[in-house]
């Protein structure tokens, strides 16, 4: 679930009488004969999302005028037509009063007045377009190069074209380090361009250099970072290339990034904190949901922010409750259950080198398909290793169907239990809430525990448990 879902917003500005009396500090004119009397929209980025900000109907001569009494955050913006197609992209920087006579067929021939940054932006896009066309031709030639020397010559030409683009970017950022276009160039810089002719004696040294240089030119508290589509890609590349996929390393890097976003009630922290929450609340790698718990404990537990909605807070708190007690490497909470023979048989009573805990429901169609497959693997491989299956029927009202299924599928070697109606001892309601403790929101839910009832695997197929057990045994 994405707790920071942003939908396309049509915010047709309805200015009050007082607001109309204010001076328009934003006045952006875009015109083309093809716009005549047609509705268009001003759109911007908010991270990877697209937000429609304003609307305007073109005049008889095709002129659109977007006005505002409050400046927009600097970044890449878009002109969108009534079919929701992007007509063109342009830059809004500190100077927000300018005009663009747009040549739709050949954007590089557009006439731009009072906006140097857009002149350079359109110029660069024209260079990029032409280079891509030429590189595509050269790549086709390379595939059919008759000799090795021909290949070398073609590769050299491709390299020169890439260098032309890189030089354009580098020269601009040196001349205008604080310009929004420089920020965009730095955000979209390919990893290899950070080397800048540096030489290293080992791969480790080169990776260390790249890692240190990667965010050096980026101020992570700069709200302009969100007004373009490059930020998430840059962050994902950093984690893919430079960060070991362990909860400890991931948590360290995420904490460092979030601490560099400045004001915790600001846009950068609000966006990136939820970005990382969404990445790790349902982690792709088993065990890395611990990263979500670490983020929650550091930045959200017992904390409130101006931007945090009630819905988001509920999601965060609920997710924490559902994950914190079943983390890989932690000890499982006891399960207070009654056996199929109506005897008390808690999880901690099971003595085995490994225990597979399965939560299932006799009325669950997926369960009745999966459990026989699990039993086949169990009888052919896992049983001989001393593994035991502790199968919890979460729907004890279906006792007849439960017993019939066990008999039919010959699951006699399993330990079959259901939740005890009464639990004796000094236990709280939370201690006995197995559905929260084990995050049982659907069935089947399966965990692998070792002899000390430590979580060793979850959210993977039982077939993979065999390999995990073999790996643990060979440590």
């Amino acid at each position: 679930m994405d707790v920071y879902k942003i939908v396309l917003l049509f915010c047709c500005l309805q200015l009050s009488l007082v607001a109309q009396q204010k001076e328009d500090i934003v006045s952006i004119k875009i015109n083309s004969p093809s716009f005549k009397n047609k509705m268009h929209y001003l759109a911007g980025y908010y991270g990877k999302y697209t937000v429609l900000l304003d609307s305007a109907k073109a005049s008889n001569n095709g002129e659109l005028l977007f006005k505002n009494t409050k400046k927009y955050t600097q970044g890449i913006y878009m002109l969108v037509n009534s079919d929701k197609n992007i007509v063109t992209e342009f830059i809004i920087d500190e100077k927000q009063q300018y005009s663009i006579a747009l040549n739709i067929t050949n954007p590089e021939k557009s006439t731009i007045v009072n906006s140097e940054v857009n002149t350079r932006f359109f110029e660069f896009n024209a260079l990029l377009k032409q280079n891509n066309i030429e590189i595509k031709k050269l790549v086709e030639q390379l595939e059919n190069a008759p000799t090795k020397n021909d290949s070398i010559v073609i590769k050299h030409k491709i390299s020169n074209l890439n260098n032309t683009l890189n030089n354009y970017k580098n020269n601009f950022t040196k001349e205008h380090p604080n310009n929004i276009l420089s920020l965009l160039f730095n955000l979209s810089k390919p990893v290899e361009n950070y080397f800048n002719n540096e030489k290293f004696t080992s791969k480790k040294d080169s990776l260390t250099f790249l890692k240190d240089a990667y965010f050096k030119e980026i101020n992570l508290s700069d709200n302009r970072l969100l007004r373009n589509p490059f930020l998430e890609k840059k962050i994902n590349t950093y984690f893919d290339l430079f960060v070991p996929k362990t909860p400890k390393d991931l948590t360290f890097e995420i904490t460092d990034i979030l601490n560099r976003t400045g004001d915790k009630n600001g846009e950068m922290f609000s966006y990136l904190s939820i970005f990382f929450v969404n990445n790790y609340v349902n982690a792709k790698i088993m065990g890395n949901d611990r990263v979500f718990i670490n983020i929650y404990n550091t930045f959200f537990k017992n904390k409130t922010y101006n931007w945090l909605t009630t819905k988001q807070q509920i999601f965060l708190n609920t997710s924490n409750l559902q994950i914190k007690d079943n983390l890989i490497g932690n000890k499982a909470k006891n399960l207070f259950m009654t056996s199929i023979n109506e005897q008390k048989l808690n999880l901690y009573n099971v003595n085995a080198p490994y225990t597979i805990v399965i939560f299932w429901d006799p009325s669950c169609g997926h369960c009745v398909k999966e459990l026989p497959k699990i039993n086949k693997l169990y009888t052919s491989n896992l049983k001989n290793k001393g593994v035991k299956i502790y199968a919890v029927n979460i729907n004890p009202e279906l006792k007849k169907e439960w017993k019939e299924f066990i008999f039919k599928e010959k699951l006699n070697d399993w330990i079959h239990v259901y939740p005890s109606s009464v639990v004796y001892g000094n236990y709280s309601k939370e201690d006995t809430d197995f559905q929260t403790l084990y995050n049982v929101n659907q069935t089947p839910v399966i965990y692998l525990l070792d002899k000390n009832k430590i979580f060793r695997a979850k959210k993977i197929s039982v077939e993979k448990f065999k390999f995990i057990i073999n790996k643990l045994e060979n440590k």
Side-chain angles (χ1 to χ4, degrees):
M1 177 180 178
D2 190 340
V3 302
Y4 212 101
K5 190 75 174 177
I6 300 179
V7 298
L8 293 178
L9 301 175
F10 283 86
C11 299
C12 298
L13 300 181
Q14 298 177 339
L15 300 178
S16 66
L17 180 60
V18 174
Q20 288 175 350
Q21 294 172 353
K22 293 181 179 179
E23 181 185 357
D24 291 313
I25 59 177
V26 177
S27 178
I28 299 173
K29 297 178 183 179
I30 307 176
N31 67 283
S32 169
S34 64
F35 296 166
K36 183 178 179 180
N37 297 323
K38 294 179 181 178
M39 186 67 72
H40 285 74
Y41 304 93
L42 174 66
Y45 290 99
Y46 193 75
K48 67 179 180 180
Y49 305 101
T50 303
V51 183
L52 295 183
L53 302 167
D54 197 1
S55 63
K57 187 175 182 179
S59 63
N60 286 330
N61 62 2
E63 181 178 277
L64 294 162
L65 176 59
F66 296 102
K67 301 170 70 174
N68 204 341
T69 57
K70 181 181 179 181
K71 281 193 171 185
Y72 292 108
T73 303
Q74 299 177 49
I76 298 178
Y77 287 76
M78 294 158 279
L79 181 65
V80 180
N81 63 25
S82 57
D83 293 325
K84 310 304 182 293
N85 295 320
I86 297 174
V87 178
T88 188
E89 288 188 328
F90 56 96
I91 299 291
I92 292 182
D93 66 343
E94 182 62 26
K95 188 181 292 186
Q96 302 191 8
Q97 294 190 342
Y98 56 85
S99 65
I100 301 174
L102 185 64
N103 186 320
I104 294 178
T105 306
N106 298 296
E108 65 276 9
K109 296 182 180 180
S110 299
T111 302
I112 300 167
V113 177
N114 203 35
S115 180
E116 176 64 22
V117 70
N118 275 297
T119 299
R120 300 298 291 270
F121 181 63
F122 276 63
E123 178 182 87
F124 173 77
N125 283 336
L127 177 63
L128 177 63
K129 179 181 177 181
Q130 185 59 40
N131 273 27
N132 286 341
I133 291 172
E134 293 182 26
I135 288 174
K136 183 178 180 181
K137 292 178 181 177
L138 289 170
V139 169
E140 292 174 355
Q141 293 176 22
L142 185 62
E143 292 174 352
N144 300 304
T147 68
K148 185 177 180 180
N149 285 336
D150 290 326
S151 296
I152 292 173
V153 171
I154 294 170
K155 288 178 180 179
H156 184 68
K157 290 180 179 179
I158 293 174
S159 178
N160 285 340
L161 287 171
N162 286 325
N163 288 336
T164 300
L165 284 175
N166 292 334
N167 290 336
Y168 186 102
K169 292 179 179 181
N170 292 335
N171 291 335
F172 187 89
T173 54
K174 287 178 182 178
E175 294 172 11
H176 312 280
N178 298 318
N179 190 284
I180 180 60
L181 193 53
S182 296
L183 176 65
L184 299 175
F185 287 156
N186 287 331
L187 274 177
S188 58
K189 180 187 291 188
V191 173
E192 59 271 16
N193 288 3
Y194 284 94
F195 281 119
N196 196 25
N197 298 320
E198 299 282 348
K199 301 295 181 181
F200 302 95
T201 57
S202 69
K203 182 178 179 180
K204 182 179 179 181
D205 289 339
S206 66
L207 287 174
T208 300
F209 173 85
L210 283 176
K211 186 173 184 293
D212 292 341
Y214 197 78
F215 285 117
K216 199 171 185 179
E217 300 162 325
I218 305 297
N219 175 8
L220 289 169
S221 66
D222 189 341
N223 290 340
R224 298 180 302 170
L225 292 171
L226 294 176
R227 269 62 184 196
N228 64 82
F230 306 126
L231 179 62
E232 286 194 22
K233 182 178 180 181
K234 187 170 185 68
I235 290 175
N236 287 333
T237 299
Y238 179 78
F239 279 84
D240 288 342
L241 294 180
F242 305 123
V243 183
K245 305 304 181 287
T246 67
K248 181 179 178 181
D249 290 294
L250 291 167
T251 299
F252 176 83
E253 295 291 344
I254 291 169
T255 301
D256 179 59
I257 287 174
L258 292 181
N259 281 335
R260 291 163 60 188
T261 59
D263 182 8
K264 298 299 185 289
N265 278 309
E267 286 187 315
M268 287 304 298
F269 176 78
S270 66
Y271 188 91
L272 287 180
S273 62
I274 297 301
F275 165 76
F276 286 121
V277 162
N278 288 331
N279 278 357
Y280 293 100
V281 70
N282 292 302
K284 295 179 182 179
I285 297 177
M286 185 180 66
N288 278 352
D289 51 359
R290 183 182 289 275
V291 177
F292 162 76
I293 297 299
N294 294 339
I295 295 172
Y296 176 85
N297 288 337
T298 302
F299 296 105
F300 291 103
K301 186 177 181 179
N302 301 322
K303 292 183 174 69
T304 58
Y305 302 107
N306 297 337
W307 53 268
L308 193 64
T309 66
T310 300
K311 186 176 180 180
Q312 290 172 333
Q313 189 69 68
I314 291 172
F315 173 81
L316 289 164
N317 293 340
T318 302
S319 298
N320 172 64
L321 289 174
Q322 293 174 335
I323 296 173
K324 69 181 180 68
D325 291 307
N326 51 76
L327 295 170
I328 300 298
N330 286 9
K331 185 171 182 177
K333 299 290 186 179
N334 201 3
L335 291 170
F336 302 95
M337 299 288 160
T338 300
S339 73
I340 198 169
N341 298 320
E342 303 301 329
Q343 302 295 316
K344 298 299 178 186
L345 184 49
N346 299 337
L347 176 63
Y348 284 5
N349 298 137
V350 177
N351 183 20
Y354 296 97
T355 304
I356 296 175
V357 179
I358 302 176
F359 297 92
W360 70 290
D361 184 334
S363 66
C364 163
H366 187 55
C367 296
V368 299
K369 289 181 180 179
E370 289 301 310
L371 264 61
K373 297 178 185 177
I374 294 171
N375 190 48
K376 184 176 180 180
L377 176 67
Y378 175 68
T379 55
S380 65
N381 185 280
L382 300 177
K383 182 180 177 181
N384 293 334
K385 294 178 178 291
V387 176
K388 293 185 179 180
I389 295 181
Y390 189 78
V392 180
N393 169 20
I394 69 168
N395 191 355
E397 293 182 1
L398 300 179
K399 282 191 177 180
K400 180 182 177 183
E401 293 84 350
W402 178 38
K403 293 180 180 181
E404 287 177 349
F405 182 80
I406 292 171
F407 177 78
K408 176 186 173 184
E409 299 298 337
K410 299 179 181 179
L411 308 180
N412 303 318
D413 292 330
W414 296 19
I415 300 171
H416 296 283
V417 296
Y418 66 91
S420 298
S421 56
V422 178
V423 176
Y424 296 98
N426 186 25
Y427 300 106
S428 66
K429 182 180 179 180
E430 288 73 19
D431 292 330
T432 60
D433 181 10
F434 71 91
Q435 288 180 299
T436 299
L437 294 172
Y438 284 78
N439 198 11
V440 184
N441 290 314
Q442 57 185 7
T443 53
V445 175
I446 307 172
Y447 292 93
L448 174 66
L449 312 180
D450 66 14
K451 65 179 180 180
N452 297 315
K453 302 300 182 287
I454 304 297
F455 287 104
R456 293 300 183 183
K458 65 177 181 178
K459 291 187 177 181
I460 60 173
S461 66
V462 173
E463 287 85 352
K464 293 182 180 178
F465 283 0
K466 176 175 67 176
F467 299 104
I468 291 173
I469 290 172
N470 289 337
K471 186 176 180 179
L472 290 170
E473 288 178 336
N474 293 325
K475 275 190 174 181

